[in-house]
Amino acid sequence: MNRNSLIVFCEDMVKTALQDMDGSHDWHHIQRVRSMALRLAHEENVTDLYALLVIEISALLHDVLDWKYSGSTLSGAQRVHKFLTEAGAQAQLISDVVYIISHMSYHSGLMSNAMPSSLARTVILADCSQDIEQLLHVVQDADRLDAMGCV
């Protein structure tokens, strides 16, 4: 699946998955986080196309089965992993996106020791000049800025 098709596929999945959510986790929130994440990436001089794709897909999928609503710290990461696998995304992209969405919330920081190793990674992205932690912080900051009302 090419980049644009994957993004559209993710958009459609998120619109469906979050259609009944409140304003803090609806499609409009996702769009704002995505836009802010890409803006922050630009400000942080993230220019690598793969890194930008990781940021965009992570921003799109970060609230799928959010633990505050699902009650499970792992269900979102597991659902996103399954969804991206079924979409035919590359294993590296799946791993990087799942890492980011699994570590975005304050709660996940507390729970990181309980994260199965199959859903976590801490190495530098393959063939990319950006560190996974930098990409995580870009998406995390965008989400937090939106939560504070910085639109």
Side-chain angles (χ1 to χ4, degrees), residues 19-37:
Q19 66 186 353
D20 296 325
M21 299 302 287
D22 62 68
S24 70
H25 288 78
D26 65 2
W27 173 243
H28 300 291
H29 164 71
I30 297 299
Q31 288 178 300
R32 291 188 305 268
V33 171
R34 171 203 215 172
S35 177
M36 180 61 75

Side-chain angles (χ1 to χ4, degrees), residues 99-139:
Y99 179 85
I100 289 172
I101 65 166
S102 297
H103 291 83
M104 279 187 54
S105 73
Y106 174 75
H107 185 261
S108 68
L110 298 175
M111 299 302 294
S112 62
N113 291 334
M115 187 72 58
S117 60
S118 63
L119 295 177
R121 61 185 295 281
T122 57
V123 298
I124 293 176
L125 298 165
D127 301 322
C128 178
S129 60
Q130 312 305 144
D131 183 281
I132 188 72
E133 294 298 319
Q134 181 185 17
L135 305 187
L136 163 64
H137 293 300
V138 164
V139 181

Side-chain angles (χ1 to χ4, degrees), residues 12-145:
D12 291 343
M13 184 271 216
V14 170
K15 286 177 188 175
T16 300
L18 303 181
Q19 66 186 353
D20 296 325
M21 299 302 287
D22 62 68
S24 70
H25 288 78
D26 65 2
W27 173 243
H28 300 291
H29 164 71
I30 297 299
Q31 288 178 300
R32 291 188 305 268
V33 171
R34 171 203 215 172
S35 177
M36 180 61 75
L38 292 172
R39 181 176 168 192
L40 291 173
H42 176 74
E43 294 294 324
E44 292 293 321
N45 296 314
V46 177
T47 58
D48 182 89
L49 292 178
Y50 176 78
L52 292 170
L53 180 63
V54 169
I55 288 169
E56 187 167 8
I57 298 297
S58 297
L60 282 168
L61 301 177
H62 80 275
D63 275 339
V64 171
L65 293 176
D66 185 281
W67 73 271
K68 290 181 289 297
Y69 298 91
S70 69
S72 169
T73 56
L74 298 178
S75 62
Q78 291 168 338
R79 178 62 185 111
V80 166
H81 188 281
K82 181 179 180 196
F83 169 75
L84 290 174
T85 300
E86 291 171 354
Q90 295 177 341
Q92 184 71 48
L93 177 67
I94 296 168
S95 178
D96 294 335
V97 168
V98 167
Y99 179 85
I100 289 172
I101 65 166
S102 297
H103 291 83
M104 279 187 54
S105 73
Y106 174 75
H107 185 261
S108 68
L110 298 175
M111 299 302 294
S112 62
N113 291 334
M115 187 72 58
S117 60
S118 63
L119 295 177
R121 61 185 295 281
T122 57
V123 298
I124 293 176
L125 298 165
D127 301 322
C128 178
S129 60
Q130 312 305 144
D131 183 281
I132 188 72
E133 294 298 319
Q134 181 185 17
L135 305 187
L136 163 64
H137 293 300
V138 164
V139 181
Q140 186 178 53
D141 288 352
D143 187 43
R144 290 178 178 176
L145 286 167

